[in-house]
């Protein structure tokens, strides 16, 4: 039970940190209209708005649809990471109940006897 508690608590913390990081990345990308996504490109031909970026040889990646693709991948990842954090938190609560710790632990032990 202690292994379940420690692993679920660690996974809950990591999933929460991942969710916060993804939410921050989405917010910064939307706020800057994607300019941070093409920051590695050294071309002066790149426009300020990443949605209108063109593919150049000065950039190590294709910039044509990086803004839309990044957001299309980050939103489902954010939802999955948040769901994982919630489910890990519930698993942590179950582990606490199995250990006899928490508000539901006393009634659970009496029902099992």
């Amino acid at each position: 039970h202690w292994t379940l508690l420690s692993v679920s608590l660690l996974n809950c913390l990591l999933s929460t940190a991942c969710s916060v990081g993804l939410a921050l990345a989405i917010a910064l990308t939307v706020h800057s209209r994607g300019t941070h996504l093409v920051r590695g490109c050294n071309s002066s031909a790149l426009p300020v708005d990443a949605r209108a970026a063109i593919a150049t040889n000065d950039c190590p990646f294709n910039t044509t649809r990086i803004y839309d693709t990044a957001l299309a991948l980050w939103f489902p990842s954010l939802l999955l990471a948040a769901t994982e954090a919630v489910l890990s938190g519930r698993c942590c609560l179950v582990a606490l109940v199995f250990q006899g710790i928490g508000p539901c632990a006393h009634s659970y032990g009496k029902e099992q006897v």
Side-chain angles (χ1 to χ4, degrees):
H1 297 285
W2 287 109
T3 304
L4 175 65
L5 177 64
S6 60
V7 169
S8 63
L9 184 62
L10 179 66
N11 191 38
C12 183
L13 292 174
L14 289 174
S15 297
T16 303
C18 185
S19 298
V20 169
L22 279 168
L24 183 63
I26 290 170
L28 289 175
T29 300
V30 170
H31 182 265
S32 70
R33 300 201 37 91
T35 57
H36 297 295
L37 295 174
V38 292
R39 183 170 285 175
C41 301
N42 296 326
S43 175
S44 61
L46 288 172
V48 178
D49 188 4
R51 297 190 85 177
I54 56 172
T56 64
N57 291 333
D58 296 337
C59 196
F61 53 88
N62 186 357
T63 60
T64 52
R65 288 184 289 253
I66 190 167
Y67 181 79
D68 297 329
T69 304
L71 292 180
L73 293 173
W74 287 345
F75 277 118
S77 296
L78 176 64
L79 292 174
L80 290 174
T83 303
E84 184 180 5
V86 169
L87 292 176
S88 295
R90 290 180 59 124
C91 188
C92 183
L93 289 176
V94 167
L96 286 173
V97 168
F98 283 158
Q99 290 297 327
I101 304 169
C104 302
H106 301 294
S107 62
Y108 176 76
K110 291 178 185 176
E111 289 175 7
Q112 290 298 321
V113 172

